[in-house]
Every structure is written in structure tokens, then in C-alpha cells.
Amino acid sequence: MSDTITYSASEKRFCLRTDSTLYVIDLYDGKYPLQRYYGPAVDTLPDAFHVYRAFSPYPTEYGPGFSFDTILSEYPTFGNGDMRHEAMRVKGPDGSGVTDFVFIGFKIDAGREPIPGLPYARPDADTETLEMHMEDPVTGCVLTLRYVVFPHEDVIARSYSLRNASGGSVVLENGMSLCLDIPRADFDLTYLPGTYGSERFNTKRPLSQGCFLMDSRRGSSSHHMSPFFALSDRGASEESGRAYGFNLVYSGNFRSMVEVDQNQTTRVLTGINPDTFSWKLAPGEVFHAPEAVMTYTDKGLGQVSRNFHRFANRHLARPCGFERRPVVLNTWEGTFFNINEDRLVKYAKEAAALGIDMLVMDDGWFGTRRNDLAGLGDWWECRDLFPDGLGAFVSRVKAQGVRFGIWIEPEMVNPDSDLYRAHPDWCLHVPGRRRSESRNQLVLDMGNPDVLDYLKTTFSKTFDGVGLDYFKWDMNRHLCEVWSSSLPADRQGEAYHRYVLGVYDLADWFRTQYPDAMIEMCSGGGGRYDLGMLPYCSQIWTSDTTDAVHRTKIQSGSLYGYPASMMSCHVSNHYNVVEDEQRMEFRWRVAMGGPLGYELDPTSLSDKVKETIRAQIAEWRNCEQIVLWGDYYRLTDPLAGAVYAYCHALPDAGELYLNFLQLVPEEPKTYVLKLIAADPDAVYKDRYTGLIVTGQQLRDGFAVRSERTDQLAKAWYFVRQ
Ligand code: GLA
């Protein structure tokens, strides 16, 4: 085995190494894991953090020199003297939430084990795992803390499992996947709040003593707050300064918290939101937590993003299965609910002529679904629309020369549906109480095995053998009145998490049942845009906002934590822009931020626009490699000014794609864009204009002037000569 993870028995010390970082855990008295160091690889560790404080209780065997309240802890539990927020609280048979987990052993392995029922990062040949086993003698619980090291992306994944080894039941009331105590607090916090249509607007604030909470209680990770966040040196720039990044591989209610304490140390916690969670463990039962990921760099927030992009691409996202990402034509903004077989066959014919690879039939094709009032849950084709059946229609579409994809929203039910009439108890609801609707729909109890059986059987009947190439899986409301008819009263705290486990179970079924079909996730746009969905899909619909000016802000924010390859983007005709050359070009350059698609009525386009789209797709094929898989550099922030400029670079610096997107008019001024990814010793030629520049010039700054206009795109594609 390599020295990625080592244990020194004499020092009672674990060292976890990635290509550029070192993470050190010390066992205090051989019993309590302390966070000793996380930062750049060093030979000599700084002294351990140590302070005394009045009012900080101490275990009597150690005396006042050691308090859980002032140490940097690896995994603090509730009630044993640490007054900060805990990583874990377990209620034992005596009703107290106090535990005192003590180290009892460890294991270092090559590779990693899957996490049962949950998504997790796939290992590569150099991945190693440390498991530390801890025991609480009073509750009889055994806690396994897991650290999976991905050396080449500088990422460590953290999770735990908790086994009830006692004779009685215990209740897990809080279990964070990750705790990181850092011996300083002079940080800026960057995080991604938002709302429907305005997801992931990057926001920065300085930390100070107290807690800052980022969470979701909506049943999914949500439009409103992303699980991604980062801490960076105050005043750190995009490309310099120390920074830590965090994220959670989970799609349900999460809590991320940053707490600065009396000693100006910082505690980072992230995991399932304890506000909507408790989990009963009968004797012998085990709970497995989702995985959290963290990265460290001294190269600023830009490198945090690049580490996470690479990590998500290599270890989380499901490959799309096709040779390259299909350019899709999605019917939603073209037809909305007016699905009609002949019309869509025409769409397919036009799409093929434009160079589009796949027609995606959106909402409105099934049951009585002619608007959003009815039909969700009835997953069979509407025979009025498809008299010869779905299979015959798909064959007609494919005969035009495109692949075929279909929209589904498996987790939902309209009260006006055959499913609801047959099984009114299958939706989340509390007996005797109102069932609140949102978009006229209720939420199925995905934790109920009968619901999953129904969905699998019904989808299988409708879709097997039809030759579908793609699913767009939507989720168009959030959860409330959460109670499950399949759980006893003392397990209702499990309903939210069991819902997410059910979603993963069904997503896994789709992955297995239709192995050749690509999956795109969606939730009213980007409402479940998280790392937990990624192992089941290749891309996620970023936002229902297709207005390109607003989109720049959503896309720029999303790229803080998530790779371009997952950021599904469409050129739409929203605001009727396609006939306007400048606006059309702008919309396309924005939509080339991630996998490109179109969402408009292709039968209504002029020949000139059709020619433009053909050229756009051809140029996308030249750019897709660098955009989807290259390294991304933010140059300006569209939330802070008139321009969104960024650069993608191939890792060997052989090619650089620079995009300069002017959102709104301004008094012309010069932007000096430093392309630090350029090779200083190389000469580059721009593919578009023939301009010759040296790599050093690009690094020193490439000057671009803004204009007195809006929605203007300028792009350069520099190729090393
Ligand atoms: C959500 C999606 C849209 C579209 C509609 C259909 O809003 O984000 O792209 O699929 O549902 O109802």
C-alpha cells in the first residue's frame, strides 16, 4: 500500500495525504481523535492548538488542561462538555442524549466500500479508506468514522455508520457527515442561496463569532440553498489565498453550519438536517450516513471549484453512455402541454436537419395530462395523442434521424388521477389534516415500498422495449405534512430521509433497467442540483430561467461547486430573440456554458435562423471538449458588474476558450483579463480571428473593451501553435 493513509503507533497519529494536502488526526490519550492539521503538505506540523477557558468542563481524569469545549475535535458529540454544536446526538435508553465515544480500533484499506442505499464517489486505483471505530460504553453504540481519500483531486470524503450493539433501542437525533475544526476564524464564507428561477447566486460574507446556518427543510436540496460552501482567507483572490470547499453527496434536507467560537476557532458541520430527522436503531441495526466532501487549496476559490469539478466528473457523474453529449431539442418552451404526434414528428425532422441529436418530449404526453391539473401518477401514454402507442410514435421520431427522450415526474401525483383515486394513502399526509397542494400536486411517499413497486411496474410496462434514449426526471414541488403510512409513530422522524432513499432506489432502478438511456435530472429547473443526484445522471437542468442575461448569474454561481458537464443549458426563444443576430449569438454563447440544447419550436424558424443554429451546433462540437471537461477560470462576476468573462483551458494549456459576455450597456471600458492557465512559453493563435498572442501576454492580461449595448458576446479560442 502507498503512504496515502498512514498510522504512527508511537505518535498515535493518522496522516491522510493527497497530491497537495495533508490531513492529520491525533488520538488524545489513544482515545479521542483530535483534528490536528489540514493544509498544504508540510514536513513539520505546527504546535497543536491548546487553550484553557473558565466555564469549560473537563473529564476529571485529565484535569482542567483538557476540555472538549476548547479542543479541535474530529467528531464532537452532544453533552459531554463541548458546548459548541455537535456532530452527533444519540438518545440512549435512559432518555439522555449524552454519549462519549472512545477510539477502539481502525482499518486502512485500498479502494472503498459502497454506502448501502446511498450515492457515493467511485474510487480509482489510488483511492484509500481509513475507518476509525469508536464505542460509547453506555449506549453500546459503535461509531465508524470513514475517510475516503482521492489523492489526485485533493478531496477527502467523510461519512460514518452507527451500529446499535446494545440490547435496547436508541435514537439517532443528529448525525453530521463531516465536522472540521479549524484553529482560526478570519474567513470569508462563500455560499449559494437562491430561489426558483434564480438558483445559486454566489454570496460572500465575513465570519464572526456565532453560527451561520445554510440549510434546506424542503425535502430536497432545493433552489433556495445549495449544499456547497467555501471558506477563504479574507481578501483572497480568485486564484490566490487559502480556501476550503465543502459539499454533501445528498439530495434531501441538509444542514451546513459554520460556527465561530469564543476562541476564534471555526467549526464546520454538514450533514442531514437534524430539524427533520431522527432514526430509531433497534438492537443490531446500522445507520449509514451520506458522504460529505472537502478540499483545501492555497490557490483561491478558483482552485476549490476546479478540484470539485474534476472530482465530480471523475468520481460522481454517470457517463452519458453516448460517444458525446447529445444536443437535445426539448419541447417544453416550444409546445408546453400541446403535445401532438404529427407536430412532434415534424419537430424531429427539423431537429435532424439542424444537426440536433435528440428530441425530448416534455410534460403532457401521459394519462389525462393536458395541463398541470391532472394526470401525474398515471404513467401510460395518452391514446388520444398516440393512437398507435408510444412505441410506434418513437419509431416515427427515430425514422427522422434523431434519438428520443421523454419527461417523467415519478415522485408526484395529481389528486385528479387514477393513481390517487386508487391509493389516496400513498401520498405524504398526516391523517386528519389538510393535504397542502403545490402546482396542484401531492408528493408520493417514496419511502413506502408499495409506491416504489407501483412505479417500477408501471414504468416498465410503458417503457420496456420502446427504445428510449433519455429520461428527463423532474420534481415540481416540495414536501410538507410529511408522515408515512408505512412507518409506526416512533419512526416518523425517518420519513424525510426514507423519501430520499426511495428516490435513489428508483433512480438506481432506471439506471439498471434502461442502461443505455441517459438521465437528466431536473426539479422545476435547478431545485435538486446536487452531488447526490449525479451518480444517477449525467446532467441536471440548471434553471427554468432561459433568459440569457439572468442565466449568466445562475451559471456562474453554479460553477462555484459544480462542473460545467452537469450544467444543462438551452437556447430558447423566450422574449422572441432568435431573429435578432446579436441576441441570438449571446444566447448561444451563454448556453455553451454547459451541455448545449435548444428549447423552441423549430417549425417556426426562418431559414436564416436555421442556418445560424446549424453553425452554432457545428461550433459547439469544436468547443464541447474544453467546456465540459477543461479547467474553468472565473474572470469577472456577473452579479457584480456588466460583464461575465471566463475561460476554459485544456489541462495541458494547449487550448483556451475565452468568453466575454456583456449583460447590460455601460460606458465602454477596458477589461484586462488575466488568463493564468496559458503556457507562458507558447504562442497562441485565435481560431476565430487569426490573432497571434504569446502565452505570457495572455497571462499578463488580454484587453477586451465593453460597448454601449447589451447582450453582446465576444469569444476567442486560442490554440497553441
Ligand atoms: C418544470 C421543468 C420544466 C418543464 C416543466 C413541465 O418546470 O423545470 O423544464 O419540464 O416542469 O411541467
Side-chain angles (χ1 to χ4, degrees):
M1 191 120 62
S2 74
D3 66 353
T4 297
I5 302 177
T6 53
Y7 177 66
S8 156
S10 58
E11 295 167 304
K12 299 194 173 64
R13 171 170 297 166
F14 295 97
C15 289
L16 285 59
R17 294 181 185 80
T18 68
D19 288 356
S20 322
T21 68
L22 173 65
Y23 186 92
V24 182
I25 303 165
D26 277 352
L27 290 175
Y28 185 80
D29 193 27
K31 287 182 173 170
Y32 297 109
L34 304 187
Q35 163 47 227
R36 177 61 196 279
Y37 177 81
Y38 188 27
V42 286
D43 293 330
T44 311
L45 291 177
D47 284 347
F49 175 83
H50 195 235
V51 289
Y52 297 95
R53 286 288 174 198
F55 287 84
S56 289
Y58 45 87
T60 30
E61 65 269 36
Y62 298 136
F66 176 94
S67 169
F68 287 114
D69 196 27
T70 57
I71 57 170
L72 301 183
S73 177
E74 205 45 43
Y75 200 73
T77 56
F78 173 77
N80 63 351
D82 190 337
M83 309 296 181
R84 294 165 289 182
H85 283 80
E86 78 276 1
M88 178 166 278
R89 186 189 298 217
V90 181
K91 192 155 83 180
D94 59 8
S96 118
V98 178
T99 51
D100 190 39
F101 284 94
V102 172
F103 179 85
I104 51 169
F106 73 96
K107 200 157 84 104
I108 297 171
D109 280 323
R112 70 160 307 158
E113 294 295 322
I115 309 179
L118 285 164
Y120 61 90
R122 294 181 297 270
D124 62 25
D126 298 320
T127 303
E128 288 185 18
T129 302
L130 164 67
E131 285 188 353
M132 286 198 294
H133 306 295
M134 324 259 297
E135 187 176 40
D136 175 53
V138 175
T139 58
C141 283
V142 176
L143 171 67
T144 297
L145 298 179
R146 201 166 288 110
Y147 299 74
V148 187
V149 182
F150 297 89
H152 310 311
E153 295 79 22
D154 289 324
V155 167
I156 300 176
R158 308 260 310 259
S159 65
Y160 72 86
S161 44
L162 183 72
R163 185 162 57 88
N164 179 5
S166 76
S169 290
V170 300
V171 180
L172 174 61
E173 295 188 321
N174 182 10
M176 294 284 110
S177 294
L178 173 154
C179 173
L180 180 68
D181 280 351
I182 309 172
R184 45 186 284 247
D186 51 342
F187 289 119
D188 282 329
L189 167 70
T190 298
Y191 61 110
L192 304 175
T195 182
Y196 172 77
S198 297
E199 297 90 338
R200 294 171 295 286
F201 272 33
N202 47 285
T203 305
K204 202 180 239 189
R205 56 183 296 153
L207 291 188
S208 58
Q209 187 169 343
C211 294
F212 189 76
L213 185 77
M214 295 154 280
D215 72 350
S216 166
R217 300 148 61 101
R218 297 175 160 270
S220 78
S221 51
S222 85
H223 314 76
H224 306 72
M225 188 63 78
S226 166
F228 165 85
F229 62 103
L231 299 177
S232 56
D233 283 351
R234 276 205 195 131
S237 76
E238 256 305 304
E239 303 300 343
S240 70
R242 294 169 291 176
Y244 302 82
F246 304 92
N247 210 335
L248 189 64
V249 185
Y250 188 60
S251 310
N253 289 345
F254 68 91
R255 173 192 279 182
S256 295
M257 184 188 269
V258 184
E259 177 175 8
V260 174
D261 75 349
Q262 56 174 342
N263 299 319
Q264 298 301 302
T265 70
T266 303
R267 171 164 292 176
V268 172
L269 293 163
T270 185
I272 294 178
N273 196 334
D275 290 348
T276 53
F277 170 84
S278 68
W279 197 274
K280 183 174 168 185
L281 286 172
E285 284 185 345
V286 185
F287 179 80
H288 300 281
E291 169 154 286
V293 291
M294 59 185 190
T295 190
Y296 169 85
T297 176
D298 53 14
K299 299 198 176 67
L301 286 176
Q303 192 60 38
V304 165
S305 300
R306 286 188 290 278
N307 288 354
F308 277 156
H309 294 174
R310 241 175 260 171
F311 179 72
N313 282 335
R314 292 181 189 166
H315 299 285
L316 286 167
R318 178 180 184 234
C320 88
F322 306 124
E323 195 187 321
R324 56 188 189 186
R325 276 313 155 86
V327 173
V328 304
L329 172 67
N330 180 290
T331 60
W332 182 242
E333 287 196 26
T335 66
F336 292 102
F337 284 104
N338 302 317
I339 301 277
N340 164 297
E341 174 158 350
D342 289 336
R343 186 174 183 188
L344 293 198
V345 171
K346 267 193 217 131
Y347 268 45
K349 188 172 175 204
E350 293 286 356
L354 294 172
I356 286 172
D357 305 292
M358 170 110 63
L359 178 75
V360 176
M361 177 165 70
D362 210 278
D363 199 353
W365 60 268
F366 53 92
T368 53
R369 184 84 170 169
R370 297 295 80 76
N371 50 45
D372 65 11
L373 294 170
L376 280 175
D378 298 343
W379 296 110
W380 44 88
E381 71 270 33
C382 167
R383 280 287 171 156
D384 292 344
L385 299 180
F386 306 103
D388 301 323
L390 189 60
F393 165 63
V394 173
S395 303
R396 279 185 75 195
V397 166
K398 291 194 168 186
Q400 311 306 313
V402 285
R403 292 194 167 104
F404 182 75
I406 203 162
W407 180 94
I408 51 174
E409 193 181 359
E411 300 150 71
M412 299 294 159
V413 63
N414 284 120
D416 184 359
S417 65
D418 289 352
L419 176 62
Y420 189 74
R421 281 182 282 275
H423 296 286
D425 281 353
W426 278 4
C427 69
L428 294 170
H429 70 283
V430 184
R433 295 191 185 278
R434 166 198 325 117
R435 302 177 179 198
S436 298
E437 293 183 18
S438 178
R439 207 193 187 201
N440 314 303
Q441 60 198 58
L442 296 166
V443 185
L444 289 174
D445 175 9
M446 298 294 284
N448 181 343
D450 294 340
V451 171
L452 289 184
D453 281 352
Y454 164 81
L455 290 171
K456 290 173 189 172
T457 310
T458 311
F459 282 127
S460 175
K461 221 164 134 188
T462 304
F463 292 156
D464 285 4
V466 168
L468 300 175
D469 300 305
Y470 167 117
F471 295 101
K472 175 179 171 189
W473 176 322
D474 213 335
M475 184 221 191
N476 278 318
R477 67 156 289 181
H478 289 144
L479 283 53
C480 66
E481 289 126 19
V482 173
W483 183 91
S484 169
S485 58
S486 64
L487 293 173
D490 63 350
R491 285 192 178 270
Q492 288 298 331
E494 302 171 17
Y496 273 105
H497 181 56
R498 286 189 185 276
Y499 177 91
V500 181
L501 293 177
V503 170
Y504 291 145
D505 178 312
L506 189 65
D508 185 49
W509 179 84
F510 266 92
R511 216 169 38 171
T512 319
Q513 185 79 358
Y514 308 105
D516 300 330
M518 165 180 166
I519 300 177
E520 171 162 332
M521 291 294 175
C522 172
S523 174
R528 201 159 50 184
Y529 197 92
D530 58 59
L531 298 182
M533 291 323 270
L534 263 196
Y536 306 97
C537 69
S538 310
Q539 58 195 49
I540 302 184
W541 181 227
T542 312
S543 175
D544 274 356
T545 295
T546 55
D547 167 62
V549 170
H550 202 63
R551 258 286 180 143
T552 57
K553 300 168 189 175
I554 297 165
Q555 294 182 189
S556 159
S558 301
L559 285 162
Y560 271 82
Y562 304 93
S565 64
M566 95 188 233
M567 191 168 74
S568 177
C569 301
H570 294 170
V571 174
S572 81
N573 196 16
H574 195 72
Y575 296 146
N576 267 324
V577 296
V578 295
E579 297 291 341
D580 177 325
E581 237 172 78
Q582 179 174 322
R583 286 186 157 68
M584 180 57 165
E585 161 114 4
F586 182 78
R587 206 158 265 212
W588 163 64
R589 284 284 177 197
V590 172
M592 287 225 297
L596 174 72
Y598 289 79
E599 187 164 336
L600 38 72
D601 176 359
T603 62
S604 68
L605 303 175
S606 67
D607 287 346
K608 187 182 120 223
V609 172
K610 286 183 188 168
E611 200 38 60
T612 302
I613 292 180
R614 266 191 289 274
Q616 289 179 343
I617 293 174
E619 178 52 18
W620 164 246
R621 291 304 178 201
N622 291 324
C623 298
E624 67 181 315
Q625 181 70 17
I626 200 167
V627 170
L628 300 184
W629 314 112
D631 291 331
Y632 167 79
Y633 294 83
R634 271 182 292 278
L635 301 172
T636 67
D637 182 352
L639 287 172
V643 165
Y644 175 31
Y646 61 90
C647 174
H648 289 285
L650 290 185
D652 71 351
E655 298 181 14
L656 307 165
Y657 169 60
L658 170 63
N659 218 355
F660 180 93
L661 301 164
Q662 185 177 341
L663 282 46
V664 290
E666 67 175 359
E667 202 48 43
K669 69 176 190 205
T670 301
Y671 288 78
V672 179
L673 306 171
K674 292 182 189 291
L675 309 190
I676 61 160
D679 170 358
D681 301 323
V683 171
Y684 291 88
K685 183 174 179 180
D686 174 30
R687 260 200 321 105
Y688 298 140
T689 60
L691 179 76
I692 301 278
V693 280
T694 66
Q696 190 58 52
Q697 282 176 310
L698 293 177
R699 292 172 68 90
D700 291 343
F702 184 72
V704 184
R705 203 150 167 80
S706 61
E707 299 181 20
R708 267 187 212 90
T709 182
D710 70 337
Q711 303 191 44
L712 177 70
K714 299 183 181 183
W716 292 262
Y717 199 121
F718 296 110
V719 180
R720 185 164 45 201
Q721 296 304 290

